[in-house]
Amino acid sequence: MLTKVYYPYYRYYRCIADSCPMCCCKYFRISFFKWEEKLFDTKPEWKDFDGNGSSIREYLGHDAEGWFCKDSSKGACTFWGSDGLCEVQKKFGAGAMPSVCRTYPRVVTGYPDRMEYALDACCPVVAASVWNWNTGTFITEGPPCDTPEAGSLTAKRNSAMHMLSDESASLSDCLRQIDSLFECGVSIPDIILDKDKSEYMRRMSILLIWENILRHEHSSKGNTIMTLLLEFICRYSLRLGQTEFPSRWEMSVDFSKNYISFIKGTPIEPDDEDRFIDVIPE
């Protein structure tokens, strides 16, 4: 039996759909995975997508990376309706949507001794969820995980999250310790934030590190990813210190917008095909 480790808000997450100020149907390219493309001619609603014998392929775009929901004149997914909802879901149900649409922003990753259930901070609902989080506390079900090997990426990640959970140290000092641990060489500025904003950035930093780092454990990108994350955390913290927001929600939306802009075109934007596990959200 594998251990299951959850970000606490995972089971409570609910998409706010047409009420979302930055709908993922508009902000992201919606792609099909290679394994999913094999279903085009077998899945009934995709085989005869319009009731006239036309395959879903006729409604998609294709390039070297595979099939995707091509942009419409709205600058968004072609299936994004005028009411802000998915036309595929309305017509065929959630099971007919691309896998990433059914599961996003949930991220489920399998490791030898556990499954981790995370959420992607590109979603503003996720970015806002940290306000109700007991910093650094995850839900663990099943047998204890093996103690990570000293010096492994897992051990470093756990140490980094522990550092950020220590509120006796300033946020800047925590980030400097993490920079040294991963040997990133990032110049960490003195970050001056009020208590509320500082606590927010601690929690967001833990979530970003937990959700991103281990995906690259078997590649050479671990330190590169941490370097990029530290650069973003510093940059956004400085922005946060200079900006006032009407509410915590507006701050969370701003965080997600900046995070999306930052990761595009970087290794932080993952190759989902290699790490994605398609599961029904628990």
Side-chain angles (χ1 to χ4, degrees), residues 10-71:
Y10 182 91
R11 285 173 165 157
Y12 300 98
Y13 172 81
R14 294 292 181 275
C15 176
I16 59 175
D18 57 325
S19 298
C20 185
M22 41 186 300
C23 179
C24 47
C25 306
K26 180 177 181 180
Y27 275 78
F28 295 103
R29 166 168 154 153
I30 310 300
S31 301
F32 289 79
F33 297 122
K34 296 291 187 296
W35 60 264
E36 197 170 22
E37 293 170 4
K38 298 175 184 177
L39 302 177
F40 285 168
D41 294 324
T42 61
K43 202 169 184 177
E45 61 268 35
W46 288 356
K47 185 177 182 180
D48 182 13
F49 190 69
D50 56 8
N52 296 314
S54 299
S55 164
I56 192 173
R57 287 188 185 88
E58 298 185 31
Y59 294 83
L60 304 176
H62 184 269
D63 60 18
E65 296 180 11
W67 294 88
F68 60 94
C69 300
K70 57 187 176 183
D71 291 349

Side-chain angles (χ1 to χ4, degrees), residues 26 71-82:
K26 180 177 181 180
D71 291 349
S72 68
S73 58
K74 302 187 294 293
C77 174
T78 190
F79 300 123
W80 191 40
S82 58

Side-chain angles (χ1 to χ4, degrees), residues 133 135-138 153-171 173-175 177-178 181-182 202-203 205-207 209-210 226:
W133 186 23
T135 310
T137 301
F138 298 87
L153 200 56
T154 305
K156 287 183 178 181
R157 181 189 74 157
N158 293 350
S159 293
M161 294 191 298
H162 179 73
M163 291 170 183
L164 286 161
S165 298
D166 178 10
E167 297 184 10
S168 66
S170 71
L171 177 60
D173 285 344
C174 291
L175 297 178
Q177 290 178 55
I178 294 170
L181 177 67
F182 282 84
R202 283 180 187 274
R203 297 179 182 194
S205 299
I206 292 173
L207 180 58
I209 290 170
W210 184 62
M226 182 57 79

